[in-house]
Amino acid sequence: MSSKARLILDGFVKNNPTFVLLLGMCPTLATTTSAVNGLSMGLATLFVLVLSNMAISAIAPVVPDKVHIPVYIVVIATFVTLLQLLMQAYTPAVYETLGLFIPLIVVNCIVLGRAEAFASRNGVIASAADGIGVGLGFTLALTVLGAVREILGSGSIFGWKFISGDGMLAFVMAPGAFICLGYLMVLFNKYLKKE
Amino acid sequence: MVAVLSLTCLLCSAILGGAYALTKDPIDKAAADKTARSIALVVPEFDSVSEEKVATLDDKEYKYYEAVKDGQPVGYAIVSKAGGFGGDIVLMVGLDSAGVVCNTSVLSHSETPGLGAKCTSDEAFMAQWKGFDPSVKILSVKKDGGDVDAITASTITSRAYAKAVETAVEVFKSINGAAVDASTGASVKPMEETENEQ
């Protein structure tokens, strides 16, 4: 396996940000009320992660150590704001659902975490691969969590309703998010991580 | 150190400034489209909609739009809000020229998913606003002695919804107060008759 593919797979499984590293819990718990919401949040984070990883790995050699955190945050915030403007302009419906959580990607520790731990020490291509891997891992985790909560809580999947009436409402609300996340984490770590 | 930080900030601001300029028009257009869609949803059939107007009631300002057909105002879409369970529920309330509610549409809310959030999906709850005549029915939930069917287990949301509609009705009266008294029967009906003859 080539090293780039290895990097992507690592981000997806071994370093899965949600189920293994337990990073970015706030958007994970808050936006996964349905599979579509989870997927959109995951893709939004993926976008920022890949671009900020690439930009940071490119500028890292010239950034003095003392100011590297402020510089990284400015770079990340720029991409997040860019994403926010683009979503507002071209996908207003998605923007409305995710609303508050888009600006909060700035403080998502996955993004700064990858910038610090990976992008600042590796080349642009490798950092992009790492961003894609971790971003996809995050997207997968959020989509699965969203789907499970949607199935249990609303009796539907990706908006397609298969029962009439309500599901178990608790799963749409915060307690259900914690319960689902806990069980998914157990399953993920038992069956996938050891590979 | 200072140079790198300043340069980064300068570059980032430049990128964002550019992006803002590029996306400003599509963003405004998306917002305008959304408003236009909610107006079309809540007022009777119309030819054109007026620019945004502002009415003042009890020192608060309310935005509204006038729907015009054949030169006659046929309805008003009024933006009003009330505090629900999780925050403000902002509604677009459509009234015809006689002050009867045509329909309502939720512009924004932060109610609990699966409970209060049903104010945007519960068909029975939403349908009751079509043709709701505030001069005959009482705008509060049945629990409080009114005529509004509340959403199951979401009385607070339903109360806020009714309150917002009530506010819109008050705004309508203040906009239209004098005009309705003078012209309801007199000026609107002849128009309909001419239409039928054609």
Side-chain angles (χ1 to χ4, degrees), chain B residues 105-109 115-123 125-126 151 161:
Chain B
S105 139
V106 179
L107 295 181
S108 70
H109 75 90
L115 293 168
K118 276 194 192 157
C119 65
T120 62
S121 62
D122 189 304
E123 279 165 21
F125 181 77
M126 288 159 75
I151 304 165
Y161 206 103

Side-chain angles (χ1 to χ4, degrees), chain B residues 19 54 64 87 115 145 163 182 188:
Chain B
V54 174
Y64 75 98
L115 293 168
K163 178 93 186 80
V188 176

Side-chain angles (χ1 to χ4, degrees), chain A residues 149-170:
Chain A
R149 288 179 66 190
E150 194 182 348
I151 291 170
L152 294 173
S154 322
S156 61
I157 176 84
F158 283 99
W160 179 73
K161 214 156 165 60
F162 56 81
I163 60 161
S164 60
D166 295 322
M168 293 172 271
L169 283 179

Side-chain angles (χ1 to χ4, degrees), chain A residues 62 64 66-67 71 74 78 81-82 85 89-90 92 96 166 169 172-173, chain B residues 1 4-5 8 12 16 19-20 23 26-27 30 34 112-115 118:
Chain A
V62 295
K66 266 190 181 165
V67 292
V71 169
V74 169
T78 305
T81 314
L82 208 58
L85 289 170
Y90 301 107
E96 225 161 84
D166 295 322
L169 283 179
V172 181
M173 288 181 264
Chain B
M1 184 168 87
V4 170
L5 199 52
T8 316
C12 289
L16 285 183
Y20 176 78
T23 52
I27 290 175
K34 191 177 173 243
T112 320
L115 293 168
K118 276 194 192 157

